[in-house]
Amino acid sequence: MIRFGNGEQIPVELHKVRVVQKLNLKPIEERLEAIDKGGYNTFLLDTKDIFLDMLTDSGTNAMSDNQVSSMLQADDAYSGSQSYYRMESALREVFGKHYVLPAHQGRAAENVISKVFVKPGDVIPTNYHFTTTMAHIEINGGKVLEIYGDEAIKIKSSHPFKGNIDIKKLNNVISEYGVDRVAFIRLEASTNLIGGQPFSLANMREVRDIAKKHGIMLVLDASLIGENAWFIKQREEEYKNAHIKDILLEMCRMADLIYFSSRKVTSTRGGGIVTDDKNIYMKLRDLIPLYEGFLTYGGMSVREIEAMAVGLYETTDETVISQSPMFIKYAVDELDKAGIPVVTPAGALGCHIDAMGFLPNVPQEEYPAGALASALFIISGCRGMERGTISSVRDENGKDILADMELLRLAFPRRVFTLSQTLFLLDRIKWLYANRELVGGLKFVEEPPVLRFFMGRLAPLSNWPQKLAAKFRADFGESL
Ligand code: F0G
């Protein structure tokens, strides 16, 4: 943040724009049609109908000039590609681990790790699940146990590390299930589903000590590790003068196995697994050619591999890694000031609006976060992602397991949106909040059995989208 003369802290862009993509801000009538065609599921929208695409930061962060230019020197080869070795060196240097396995994205790494380490009846204690992680663990017969602290799922909080594992709960899990049934302990950096909330190094150290004492493997999901490191520097006294690179290395040193989605860490499409333990490496190694591709590309294009190597180094640069969290903080603070319920403190990845607080008239069974995502798209063209009960699952009786938090996530991919675009978003959210009683619920009309939030189709429970659009046109006097 940069202080202006009037005392305001503004997230000034620490980069200049050199390649741009034209956006479309279409009339509200076309957006009504688009969301209807997309089954009131923002995953099913086309970008031609979207103004600000805040669905995710996954594969949508802006690449740097150095990343793009590195793609020209890619060494196309099925095996032994020099591009791969450049990426391997970058991973060794940035994550500090020797053995590297490539995967085509984060969930591919989760597939391989779960296949090797999760047996039926196992439990996996974690600070919080991620959708694809849980699906892979469950497919292999394991169960995810979330052992977060009291503040983790409170919407409004000033706790600096809501992503911490509750140490007492961790000890209880180990004594209740026994060491042999704990496949591994999983820590997720900048814990995605609770609002991009970091854990502290002090907490990780305690978790590591317990894991070591019992001989349990500590697995780090490093998809948002750079941001977690940045929060440690901001919020953990001991590290306020440390370099991001050193914080990152210290986090990695404590984990036995690290996996990541490169779509998030570096803006390129890919992923991987790193470890210093040869036994772990050997157990996983032979599944890579089976599911991903040969060991020196793992399902990624060599161009992406080159850009990933450069992006890994950039992740340790504070001016790069701080951009997204600063814009998120600005948006969160502005919404909070306006009395709009939003997850605090601001975390990584995006701004997370509390849909139950925003739409108290929509019961959780009618998917308030999904309804809010549709409503915001209709009135602004901004696409967010439902992170609530639609992203959850049903129990054995077919009843929805209601999510702990009902969130609309508005992602701020790194260095993509400007301050005036952020101001546009905030203006439209404020208008929607003032007109929130017009938003109604949704119901499923087509529901896939696994990861239903991706392809599921919904319908509004009344003609609320049309009424909302009519009010928008009346207030703005136009349809943009
Ligand atoms: N772990 C975390 C913490 C993630 O956020 C993601 C993806 C994955 C694993 C899976 O990685 O997409 O490369 O297969 N998160 C994206 C998101 C999809 O929008 O939050 P992937």
Side-chain angles (χ1 to χ4, degrees):
M1 296 282 187
I2 300 210
R3 184 183 287 277
F4 276 24
N6 64 3
E8 258 192 283
Q9 299 272 359
I10 299 293
V12 173
E13 294 85 354
L14 298 171
H15 48 266
K16 63 179 179 179
V17 177
R18 293 171 65 201
V19 177
V20 297
Q21 181 179 356
K22 189 174 133 343
L23 291 174
N24 299 310
L25 180 52
K26 290 192 165 175
I28 198 164
E29 295 77 15
E30 291 184 35
R31 292 200 295 267
L32 266 179
E33 264 174 49
I35 195 76
D36 195 60
K37 195 171 138 235
Y40 294 84
N41 177 353
T42 55
F43 274 101
L44 303 181
L45 291 168
D46 285 348
T47 54
K48 68 176 172 45
D49 299 316
I50 293 168
F51 179 44
L52 304 181
D53 190 1
M54 306 185 118
L55 184 73
T56 179
D57 61 341
S58 175
T60 59
N61 290 323
M63 279 208 206
S64 69
D65 46 359
N66 288 331
Q67 280 185 291
V68 174
S69 59
S70 74
M71 291 168 106
L72 294 175
Q73 60 165 353
D75 177 24
D76 274 305
Y78 191 92
S79 84
S81 160
Q82 298 306 297
S83 299
Y84 178 78
Y85 295 125
R86 280 190 276 274
M87 182 193 79
E88 187 183 60
S89 302
L91 278 167
R92 284 180 176 159
E93 201 175 321
V94 174
F95 286 171
K97 301 279 189 210
H98 182 73
Y99 296 106
V100 173
L101 292 167
H104 79 273
Q105 59 184 84
R107 73 199 68 181
E110 292 171 340
N111 172 41
V112 170
I113 293 165
S114 304
K115 275 212 154 61
V116 169
F117 293 110
V118 179
K119 304 183 301 300
D122 279 355
V123 292
I124 293 83
T126 179
N127 47 354
Y128 208 78
H129 80 277
F130 184 69
T131 51
T132 55
T133 325
M134 186 157 92
H136 282 296
I137 288 172
E138 288 184 347
I139 262 177
N140 287 286
K143 192 169 146 203
V144 170
L145 301 175
E146 287 161 340
I147 46 169
Y148 48 78
D150 294 339
E151 292 282 314
I153 59 170
K154 274 195 195 144
I155 300 292
K156 225 174 154 59
S157 166
S158 55
H159 196 296
F161 294 110
K162 287 162 98 178
N164 280 354
I165 275 187
D166 184 315
I167 298 300
K168 219 168 123 199
K169 289 184 190 164
L170 177 59
N171 282 321
N172 289 345
V173 165
I174 297 171
S175 48
E176 187 184 335
Y177 290 89
V179 170
D180 290 345
R181 283 183 65 194
V182 181
F184 52 83
I185 301 167
R186 174 179 177 274
L187 252 183
E188 182 183 310
S190 307
T191 325
N192 189 332
L193 294 192
I194 59 168
Q197 299 293 322
F199 57 74
S200 67
L201 266 173
N203 184 253
M204 186 171 190
R205 206 168 291 126
E206 281 188 87
V207 172
R208 189 270 321 261
D209 288 348
I210 294 170
K212 235 192 167 76
K213 185 170 111 193
H214 295 285
I216 300 172
M217 185 166 77
L218 178 57
V219 172
L220 173 65
D221 181 330
S223 304
L224 288 165
I225 193 171
E227 287 79 358
N228 200 125
W230 189 77
F231 284 121
I232 286 171
K233 186 174 162 88
Q234 301 298 307
R235 300 178 185 176
E236 201 166 354
E237 182 61 24
E238 198 186 331
Y239 296 95
K240 69 171 188 234
N241 296 319
H243 195 288
I244 296 291
K245 176 170 142 268
D246 297 323
I247 299 176
L248 224 136
L249 276 173
E250 188 156 349
M251 291 165 86
C252 293
R253 240 190 317 272
M254 288 194 254
D256 300 300
L257 183 161
I258 302 168
Y259 75 89
F260 59 95
S261 166
S262 176
R263 301 174 64 86
K264 283 178 132 66
V265 185
T266 74
S267 335
T268 63
R269 292 110 202 116
I273 303 170
V274 295
T275 180
D276 259 345
D277 186 325
K278 191 164 184 196
N279 281 329
I280 294 177
Y281 170 77
M282 289 309 288
K283 282 183 186 163
L284 294 166
R285 190 192 64 179
D286 296 340
L287 292 191
I288 299 295
L290 181 62
Y291 290 110
E292 300 303 302
F294 194 71
L295 282 172
T296 52
Y297 72 89
M300 290 177 268
S301 84
V302 280
R303 279 158 207 77
E304 302 274 6
I305 287 174
E306 287 284 359
M308 184 168 154
V310 175
L312 277 163
Y313 292 117
E314 291 178 352
T315 297
T316 65
D317 178 339
E318 209 168 310
T319 60
V320 174
I321 205 67
S322 64
Q323 276 287 303
S324 170
M326 285 198 300
F327 271 75
I328 294 164
K329 180 167 167 36
Y330 180 79
V332 165
D333 289 352
E334 288 299 306
L335 292 174
D336 197 32
K337 269 193 260 167
I340 295 172
V342 62
V343 172
T344 60
L349 206 171
C351 166
H352 295 75
I353 296 178
D354 168 29
M356 283 196 281
F358 200 108
L359 300 175
N361 51 320
V362 178
Q364 217 181 344
E365 292 74 10
E366 295 178 8
Y367 310 128
L372 188 56
S374 292
L376 182 63
F377 172 72
I378 292 168
I379 63 120
S380 69
C382 299
R383 162 161 84 163
M385 185 191 288
E386 191 271 1
R387 294 277 77 160
T389 300
I390 295 176
S391 301
S392 179
V393 290
R394 290 189 186 270
D395 65 16
E396 53 279 13
N397 303 316
K399 223 168 137 321
D400 267 331
I401 299 180
L402 300 178
D404 291 329
M405 298 173 102
E406 201 67 42
L407 303 177
L408 165 60
R409 180 181 87 182
L410 297 160
F412 277 82
R414 215 179 283 164
R415 302 191 289 186
V416 171
F417 298 121
T418 63
L419 188 57
S420 61
Q421 289 170 333
T422 307
L423 294 176
F424 171 86
L425 170 78
L426 296 175
D427 178 72
R428 294 306 194 254
I429 296 172
K430 287 176 191 169
W431 181 89
L432 190 57
Y433 191 62
N435 291 281
R436 61 192 180 279
E437 77 290 349
L438 292 174
V439 181
L442 299 173
K443 62 167 190 242
F444 267 105
V445 289
E446 198 184 308
E447 188 178 340
V450 183
L451 297 174
R452 64 182 182 175
F453 60 89
F454 280 131
M455 299 305 295
R457 301 182 68 81
L458 298 104
L461 289 166
S462 66
N463 67 343
W464 66 258
Q466 287 71 24
K467 286 190 177 156
L468 184 69
K471 178 71 169 33
F472 179 89
R473 275 187 301 255
D475 281 7
F476 285 85
E478 54 166 316
S479 55
L480 292 181

